Amino acid sequence: MAAVALSPLPHDATTMGGGLKSEHLLVVLPFDPPTAFFDRIRRKHPHIKITYRQLSFTATPWNGAEQIPPELFHDATLLVTLSAVPPSPKDCPKLEWIHFTSAGTNHVANSPIYTDTTIPLTTSSGIHGPQIAEWVLMTMLASSHHYALLHKWQNKHQWDQQLDNINYMRNLHDKVGQRLGVLGYGSIGRQVGRVAKAMGMDVIAYTASPRDTPESKKDHGFIVPGTGDPNGDFPSAWYSGTDKEDLHRFLAQDIDHLLISVPLTKETTHLLGKEEFDILSTHNAFITNISRGAIIDQPALIAALRAFEDHRTSNPSYTAATFPVAPEADLKADTSIPGLRGAALDVTDPEPLPPDDPLWDAPNCIITPHISGAGSAYVDRCFQVFEVNLERREKGDKLINVVDRSKGY
C-alpha cells in the first residue's frame, strides 16, 4: 500500500531556540497527524523542529518496501515510529533515540538499526492495559455466559425460557474463586489482574526473573493513572523461570484461565504446545492470547480444543444440550474431560490469518484481528510516554520503557 506523505510542519510552527541544543523530531506513523501532541511539543520544547510523515505499516520497512526521503532520516535526532526505521546506521548519523508506539519491538528486531547500533529504543508499553483488559474480560464472559447463543436468540426474536435452558443458565459458574494465571506479569497482565481480582478471582503471576522482594514486584514502567498493579499487590503467588520445568510448575497450579502476555522472542516462540496444553487440560483451562500468535503452537491448540469438544459431543450427558460448551460447574465435577474449554485469540500465526486456516473452525474459539489494544486514547497515550521520556532525557535522568536488546524486549 503506497505511503501518504505529509509535508513537514510550516517553519513558523517549529520555533527554534532556547537553552537546549536544536533537535529534529521525525514522526512516522499510520495515523492522522497528532496535532495536540505537536502543540504540546512546540509550547514546552521550542528547540525541537518537527517533521511528520504518514506511512502505512509494513513488516520490513527498512528493506525499502516503503520509501521515506533519505534526508529526513539523515537529519533526525529523534524518531517516533510504529515500524519505519532507517535502512542502515549510515542513513541516520544524528539519530539519538527511537520511540516506538507499540508495546514491543519484535517487528523490527531484524533491522540493522536494532542489530548493529546502540541507539536507545523505547516502547509504549503501559498504555495498552485498560483497553486490552476490557477485551480480555469481554471475551472471557462472552464465552462463559454463551453470548453467541444469547445473541442468536435475540436475532430470532426468541424469548427462550424452556426449563432445560433456564436450568442450564443457572448452572453457569461465575468468576468468584476461579484462578487466573498471568503468564508475563507486565503492564497488561497487571491491569487484567486488577480487574480479575475485583471480580473475586485468585491471581497468580509468572515472570522470567524472580520477584521475591517488594521492590522487584513493582512496575517501573509507564502506568496509566488508576490502573495496573504498581506495587505487585494482587498475585497470591509468584512463579518465575526460563525453563520448561519452571513453566510447568506454574501451569500445574489448577489454572482456570491462562492469560498469555509475554513478549515474542526466540525463547518464547512456541512456548506453549501439546505438553503445556496437556497440563492445562487437567483443569480444562480457558486460554487468552493478546501477545503474539507464534508463542502458541497453533495445531496443538486446535487439537486441545477439539479434544474437549469431541468428548462433549460423544458424552450422552452433554449431547442433549444445544449449547456450545458444558457449564463450568459441571466441568469442575468431572476431572476426566480432556482438552481445553475454549480460547480467545487477538493474535494468530500468521497474520492476517488465511481464510482456509483450520483455526477459524476450532471449537469454542473467539478470534479477533489484533485489535484488542485499539481505542480513542491510544495515540495520545503513546505520546505521553514519549513526553515523559523527553523530560527525563533533558534532565539527564534514565529513560523508562527502554528495550534490552539482549533480552529482545
Side-chain angles (χ1 to χ4, degrees):
M1 183 176 181
V4 178
L6 299 185
S7 301
L9 296 179
H11 182 70
D12 60 1
T14 56
T15 305
M16 306 297 289
L20 298 169
K21 70 172 185 177
S22 297
E23 301 262 29
H24 181 191
L25 169 61
L26 175 60
V27 181
V28 184
L29 293 172
F31 316 132
D32 291 333
T35 55
F37 163 70
F38 291 157
D39 289 342
R40 293 197 301 267
I41 294 296
R42 295 188 197 108
R43 184 173 65 254
K44 297 180 181 179
H45 308 276
H47 61 290
I48 297 179
K49 171 188 173 182
I50 304 173
T51 301
Y52 181 76
R53 179 170 285 259
Q54 189 167 346
L55 179 69
S56 299
F57 176 84
T58 57
T60 55
W62 58 90
N63 287 336
E66 301 273 7
Q67 292 297 323
I68 294 177
E71 62 272 14
L72 292 185
F73 280 138
H74 191 273
D75 293 337
T77 57
L78 311 171
L79 173 63
V80 174
T81 182
L82 173 61
S83 62
V85 293
S88 70
K90 65 180 178 61
D91 294 303
C92 55
K94 301 178 182 179
L95 194 58
E96 298 179 4
W97 169 31
I98 303 176
H99 178 70
F100 290 89
T101 57
S102 55
T105 55
N106 62 286
H107 56 296
V108 297
N110 294 323
S111 73
I113 297 302
Y114 191 99
T115 59
D116 301 338
T117 78
T118 58
I119 297 172
L121 311 176
T122 59
T123 71
S124 295
S125 176
I127 73 165
H128 306 83
Q131 60 269 44
I132 292 183
E134 291 183 9
W135 181 93
V136 171
L137 181 64
M138 174 189 72
T139 53
M140 180 189 298
L141 295 178
S143 177
S144 64
H145 286 257
H146 310 305
Y147 179 73
L149 178 65
L150 300 178
H151 190 58
K152 179 181 179 180
W153 288 349
Q154 179 179 345
N155 286 340
K156 293 171 64 177
H157 300 188
Q158 179 179 341
W159 188 274
D160 199 323
Q161 285 199 331
Q162 296 181 41
L163 183 59
D164 286 347
N165 295 345
I166 294 301
N167 287 338
Y168 182 89
M169 288 298 181
R170 286 173 178 163
N171 283 333
L172 292 175
H173 195 290
D174 59 42
K175 302 307 173 189
V176 176
Q178 293 200 29
R179 174 165 290 166
L180 171 71
V182 182
L183 182 58
Y185 202 65
S187 60
I188 295 171
R190 288 170 184 257
Q191 176 63 7
V192 175
R194 182 189 190 100
V195 174
K197 195 74 173 179
M199 295 176 64
M201 299 183 74
D202 178 51
V203 178
I204 61 175
Y206 187 90
T207 57
S209 303
R211 299 288 191 268
D212 48 13
T213 66
E215 184 63 25
S216 68
K217 293 177 181 178
K218 291 182 178 180
D219 185 354
H220 296 283
F222 181 82
I223 303 173
V224 177
T227 72
D229 185 8
N231 295 317
D233 294 329
F234 295 135
S236 62
W238 293 72
Y239 298 82
S240 64
T242 56
D243 59 34
K244 286 286 187 178
E245 183 179 353
D246 294 324
L247 175 62
H248 291 175
R249 186 180 303 112
F250 168 71
L251 297 178
Q253 301 306 308
D254 293 337
I255 292 173
D256 296 291
H257 297 263
L258 178 71
L259 172 67
I260 302 167
S261 54
V262 294
L264 178 63
T265 65
K266 180 180 178 181
E267 291 72 26
T268 62
T269 299
H270 286 184
L271 181 66
L272 299 176
K274 182 183 185 304
E275 195 174 3
E276 290 70 37
F277 295 142
D278 284 346
I279 297 172
L280 291 164
S281 292
T282 62
H283 221 60
N284 300 116
F286 186 93
I287 306 294
T288 298
N289 189 6
I290 50 79
S291 183
R292 293 293 184 269
I295 292 171
I296 285 179
D297 179 344
Q298 269 179 201
L301 174 64
I302 295 171
L305 292 170
R306 284 180 175 164
F308 179 93
E309 180 68 4
D310 288 346
H311 180 90
R312 184 186 75 84
T313 57
S314 64
N315 189 315
S317 65
Y318 295 143
T319 51
T322 58
F323 300 89
V325 195
E328 293 179 17
D330 289 352
L331 296 180
K332 291 180 178 295
D334 185 354
T335 58
S336 66
I337 303 175
L340 299 174
R341 183 169 72 251
L345 311 174
D346 188 48
V347 289
T348 62
D349 184 23
E351 291 184 11
L353 190 66
D356 60 349
D357 194 286
L359 185 64
W360 288 112
D361 297 316
N364 312 320
C365 185
I366 298 171
I367 301 172
T368 59
H370 206 148
I371 47 75
S372 65
S376 60
Y378 184 94
V379 175
D380 187 64
R381 286 175 181 160
C382 288
F383 288 112
Q384 287 180 34
V385 183
F386 176 81
E387 290 176 84
V388 167
N389 269 335
L390 185 59
E391 295 282 355
R392 296 176 71 90
R393 180 174 179 267
E394 292 179 353
K395 293 177 181 178
D397 296 337
K398 291 183 179 180
L399 305 183
I400 62 172
N401 288 11
V402 177
V403 175
D404 183 339
R405 284 175 168 86
S406 67
K407 295 181 178 178
Y409 56 91

